[in-house]
Amino acid sequence: MERDSGFSELMQQAEQLTADMDGNELPRVERNLRQILDAGQQLWSRTTQVVSRDTSDVKASILLGSKGYDLPKVTQKLEKLSATKTFEPIEPIRITDIEGFLKNERENAILSVIEESKKSTSERADKLFWNNLEYEWEDEKQRILNALSGSTQEIILDTSTIMSENINMRIRTSMSASEMAYAKQVYLYNEQIVQGGLKFNLAEKFYAVAKELDEKSILDLWEMVKIMTDIPLSTDKDILASRCSGLIQTAFVNQARKYLEKKYRQYIEVIVYGNLQQANIGGVPGTYYLIRSFLNIKLSIMPPGLEDGLVEGHPVWAMIYYCIRCGDIEAAEKVAMSASSVLAEFVPYLKEYNQSEDHRLSPASESQLRLMYRRSVYTGTDPFKKAVYCILACCNMNEDHSEVAEKTDDYLWLKLCQLRSEEIGESSIQMQLDRITLSQLQSLLLEDHGETHFNAYEQPFLYFEVLFLTAQFEAAIEFLSRIEHLRCHAVHLAITLYEMNLLALPTNIHAPLLSQNKADKPPMRRLNFARLIMMYTKKFEITDPREAIQYFYFLRNIRGIKEENLFISCVSELAQETNEFEMLLGKMEPDGCRKVRSKFNIFK
């Protein structure tokens, strides 16, 4: 009963409170148990923070008081400091020790200079050490590469050459007959220079050597070199800029065409005079009747599709093409004038083509001839007529004319006839697109086709000819030097071009044998002439040091990695390896003059 009465009273009190709240104007707040618990925890945390902070302050006051600090006074100073708007010190500065300060600064300055000098000296020593180590490694690497690239021929000791104390034990020469023949001409050339005479034509001298060797391929190679180097020589130090000029490129193209035309005429003569009965030679000696006799053999059976009639019993366009192929434009004119009136409009173009110095029609004539080609010739069936129009008008560059150009020489000649100078602006967008420049032809042959296309290692002279006649001298020489029995000819070809200022060299002598600079116009290559010479002489420099010096003399104007004279550097190393100091460097006489046993005095 008591519990019931207690609950009744509690109920009445709750109702009373509710009634009082309902009468109040303030808004009524309703909370659940969770919200009441959160509010209680927040109040408790605030209370504990205030208590803990007060306790920390009390503890700090006791600690500072025990050390002699007056906490209220310090607090006032801090508040005053934070409220100060200037940077003036609160307490006066004590008197500075000027003498001690200056002494200390002087000592610090001296120590800093010593430390900086020590650091810079250490850095410089490290740099010199690593540079010297890199140079020695590059030099050793060059020696290894040269040794690996040298001949594998065994060096045999000749015991019969052991002589008196003034003559050391010698080794039999490791130079072949062709190498000795070339070395003789090199010696004569260097002697001429040392004595202050004029340089003679090395290509002519090496051509004479090729005649002595009596090998047709080598003779053709040096004949090609003679013709290609018969151009206006430039004294410009920038060899690449000179070779990329329109004048020099045109000269290269004309000389290449001249060589191919001369070679083809010789080929026709061999065919004709080897088949005299079938050739039926007659008439005045000359290209006109030579081509007629050649066609008696070649076109004994008339192929179908030929147009515009016959001359001397042969297709008119075939005769015109072969006359142009032999380089005789006047003979081609004679054929065209002997034909029917169908070719009357074509004769003026042939005359203009013949009268121009570089065998080029004017832009207006080219445009007219191209229009005629597109209207009728392109859809025709005569391959010779198409080839002649494409040669004169420089059009349809993508056509290979395989029915006419049977060999690589014919294809190369056709492309050379169609080349246009990069410095000449075309009169129309179509003519700009429908043209090919020398650099484009070079890229096509070297990079797009390359060694695989031409089966280079089976036909090395053909691939060399393709590169050399398109003025890619460096790539042609480098390819030839990779074939051991042809390396001798490649080296002397490089010497010829180097002396004529036609060889592009790298800026670093440790560059690969054939390299390409990013700044150079594609597909230009550079040949490491110094490395090629050192590779070549590695074979015989021990057995024939005097001959090796002759080749080192060509390096006298080339600087090494340390800007040293490469000729002197090579001779010094050769003297150390062979111990032939007196023969190579000479001997000082009592009168102070140097006496050199070698015929070639390097100190002149």
Side-chain angles (χ1 to χ4, degrees):
M1 294 295 291
E2 292 179 359
R3 182 178 297 176
D4 295 338
S5 62
F7 278 116
S8 300
E9 292 177 0
L10 184 61
M11 186 66 178
Q12 291 177 0
Q13 292 176 1
E15 291 177 353
Q16 184 63 37
L17 288 173
T18 302
D20 293 339
M21 290 174 62
D22 292 339
N24 198 343
E25 295 181 357
L26 293 175
R28 182 175 181 181
V29 178
E30 295 182 359
R31 294 189 182 183
N32 54 28
L33 294 177
R34 183 66 183 175
Q35 292 173 341
I36 293 172
L37 177 61
D38 293 340
Q41 289 179 348
Q42 291 178 3
L43 291 174
W44 171 254
S45 63
R46 292 175 186 175
T47 305
T48 54
Q49 289 176 2
V50 173
V51 173
S52 62
R53 185 174 59 197
D54 293 342
T55 305
S56 301
D57 293 343
V58 172
K59 291 180 179 180
S61 299
I62 295 172
L63 176 62
L64 293 174
S66 64
K67 300 295 182 180
Y69 288 95
D70 187 358
L71 184 59
K73 187 176 180 180
V74 172
T75 304
Q76 292 176 1
K77 288 183 178 181
L78 291 174
E79 290 177 353
K80 183 178 179 182
L81 179 63
S82 61
T84 303
K85 295 183 179 180
T86 64
F87 293 95
E88 296 178 358
I90 297 174
E91 294 183 357
I93 302 175
R94 62 179 180 172
I95 300 175
T96 305
D97 185 2
I98 302 298
E99 184 177 354
F101 173 78
L102 293 177
K103 180 181 179 182
N104 186 43
E105 288 296 319
R106 179 174 177 272
E107 292 177 353
N108 288 338
I110 294 173
L111 291 174
S112 64
V113 171
I114 293 173
E115 184 65 24
E116 185 177 353
S117 300
K118 179 182 176 182
K119 182 180 178 182
S120 63
T121 303
S122 178
E123 291 177 351
R124 184 183 177 191
D126 288 342
K127 184 178 180 181
L128 290 174
F129 169 76
W130 288 112
N131 286 343
N132 189 62
L133 188 64
E134 182 181 3
Y135 170 75
E136 290 179 355
W137 165 241
E138 288 290 343
D139 189 59
E140 188 64 25
K141 183 172 67 174
Q142 191 73 36
R143 290 171 179 269
I144 295 172
L145 290 173
N146 292 344
L148 292 176
S149 302
S151 174
T152 57
Q153 178 182 355
E154 295 183 1
I155 301 176
I156 306 173
L157 293 175
D158 187 359
T159 56
S160 63
T161 58
I162 301 177
M163 301 181 180
S164 62
E165 58 181 3
N166 294 327
I167 302 178
N168 297 327
M169 183 174 65
R170 300 288 297 162
I171 303 175
R172 191 166 64 189
T173 180
S174 56
M175 299 181 71
S176 64
S178 59
E179 290 169 344
M180 290 295 294
Y182 279 122
K184 180 181 178 181
Q185 296 299 329
V186 168
Y187 164 74
L188 295 174
Y189 181 78
N190 286 337
E191 276 293 303
Q192 185 80 2
I193 295 175
V194 170
Q195 293 174 5
L198 297 175
K199 296 181 180 180
F200 54 74
N201 192 328
L202 270 174
E204 292 284 353
K205 298 297 181 181
F206 291 152
Y207 180 77
V209 172
K211 279 186 175 181
E212 294 177 5
L213 297 176
D214 194 22
E215 187 176 344
K216 185 178 184 305
S217 299
I218 303 302
L219 195 62
D220 290 343
L221 181 148
W222 282 108
E223 185 177 0
M224 188 190 316
V225 175
K226 282 175 54 183
I227 292 178
M228 288 296 291
T229 55
D230 186 18
I231 62 170
L233 296 181
S234 172
T235 57
D236 192 352
K237 292 184 178 180
D238 191 344
I239 297 174
L240 292 182
S242 174
R243 279 176 49 180
C244 291
S245 66
L247 177 65
I248 299 299
Q249 286 194 349
T250 301
F252 281 142
V253 171
N254 289 338
Q255 293 302 105
R257 286 179 56 180
K258 184 186 297 184
Y259 171 78
L260 291 172
E261 290 163 359
K262 179 181 178 182
K263 186 178 177 182
Y264 194 75
R265 184 185 176 92
Q266 292 172 350
Y267 160 75
I268 288 180
E269 289 175 351
V270 170
I271 296 296
V272 169
Y273 293 115
N275 301 272
L276 290 175
Q277 185 175 0
Q278 189 178 357
N280 190 21
I281 298 177
V284 180
T287 306
Y288 181 90
Y289 290 102
L290 181 67
I291 296 301
R292 188 197 66 177
S293 301
F294 174 69
L295 292 179
N296 286 337
I297 302 170
K298 187 174 181 63
L299 298 181
S300 57
I301 300 177
M302 191 73 64
L306 302 181
E307 302 174 359
D308 297 335
L310 306 175
V311 172
E312 297 282 348
H314 296 294
V316 58
W317 289 109
M319 287 196 68
I320 291 175
Y321 169 79
Y322 285 112
C323 287
I324 298 175
R325 180 69 180 87
C326 291
D328 195 336
I329 312 300
E330 291 184 0
E333 281 187 57
K334 182 178 179 180
V335 174
M337 295 174 68
S338 301
S340 61
S341 58
V342 178
L343 271 68
E345 62 178 0
F346 184 76
V347 173
Y349 297 106
L350 269 178
K351 288 184 177 180
E352 180 183 346
Y353 189 79
N354 184 36
Q355 291 171 359
S356 64
E357 294 182 358
D358 56 350
H359 292 307
R360 287 285 183 269
L361 295 178
S362 64
S365 298
E366 276 192 5
S367 298
Q368 294 173 3
L369 214 57
R370 289 185 181 205
L371 183 60
M372 294 166 59
Y373 176 81
R374 288 195 296 270
R375 284 179 176 176
S376 59
V377 180
Y378 180 73
T379 57
T381 57
D382 193 331
F384 295 100
K385 185 176 182 180
K386 290 181 180 180
V388 171
Y389 269 82
C390 289
I391 291 169
L392 267 65
C394 297
C395 59
N396 199 10
M397 303 300 176
N398 297 324
E399 176 62 44
D400 292 338
H401 302 281
S402 56
E403 297 180 20
V404 174
E406 301 173 351
K407 298 180 180 180
T408 303
D409 283 4
D410 301 326
Y411 168 82
L412 184 59
W413 175 80
L414 264 168
K415 293 303 177 185
L416 289 172
C417 290
Q418 294 179 302
L419 291 185
R420 304 296 283 164
S421 175
E422 297 180 6
E423 297 181 356
I424 299 177
E426 302 292 356
S427 58
S428 66
I429 297 177
Q430 180 62 33
M431 293 181 71
Q432 292 177 8
L433 296 175
D434 190 16
R435 74 166 190 170
I436 183 172
T437 62
L438 180 59
S439 61
Q440 290 172 337
L441 180 61
Q442 290 172 341
S443 297
L444 176 68
L445 298 174
L446 178 63
E447 297 174 350
D448 296 347
H449 292 338
E451 298 178 13
T452 304
H453 176 82
F454 292 100
N455 196 13
Y457 283 97
E458 297 296 327
Q459 304 177 89
F461 290 103
L462 175 63
Y463 187 58
F464 171 83
E465 177 187 289
V466 167
L467 296 179
F468 198 82
L469 291 180
T470 52
Q472 300 185 85
F473 305 139
E474 295 76 16
I477 294 171
E478 188 273 338
F479 165 73
L480 215 60
S481 69
R482 281 187 263 139
I483 304 173
E484 187 171 344
H485 70 279
L486 299 177
R487 184 176 298 126
C488 171
H489 309 292
V491 169
H492 293 88
L493 173 57
I495 291 173
T496 303
L497 296 179
Y498 175 76
E499 289 296 298
M500 298 183 74
N501 204 34
L502 288 175
L503 202 62
L505 307 182
T507 55
N508 183 4
I509 65 165
H510 291 307
L513 190 58
L514 189 68
S515 60
Q516 183 178 18
N517 287 7
K518 293 182 179 179
D520 296 340
K521 185 177 181 179
M524 181 59 70
R525 300 291 194 271
R526 293 173 181 258
L527 182 73
N528 193 334
F529 177 70
R531 182 176 175 185
L532 181 65
I533 293 294
M534 290 187 283
M535 283 172 51
Y536 177 66
T537 57
K538 198 68 180 178
K539 172 186 174 182
F540 57 84
E541 63 182 13
I542 302 298
T543 60
D544 302 271
R546 285 179 295 185
E547 282 69 22
I549 285 185
Q550 304 290 338
Y551 290 93
F552 291 152
Y553 190 63
F554 291 108
L555 308 181
R556 62 191 181 277
N557 295 323
I558 300 178
R559 297 290 173 179
I561 195 171
K562 289 186 175 181
E563 293 301 318
E564 74 278 11
N565 187 296
L566 207 55
F567 165 59
I568 296 177
S569 176
C570 290
V571 173
S572 301
E573 293 178 6
L574 181 61
Q576 294 176 18
E577 290 180 1
T578 60
N579 292 324
E580 298 285 359
F581 296 103
E582 289 189 9
M583 183 185 70
L584 299 177
L585 305 178
K587 180 181 179 181
M588 295 299 295
E589 296 294 326
D591 59 357
C593 297
R594 182 183 298 274
K595 183 179 180 181
V596 182
R597 288 175 56 189
S598 174
K599 294 181 180 179
F600 180 56
N601 188 351
I602 66 173
F603 294 99
K604 286 186 179 181

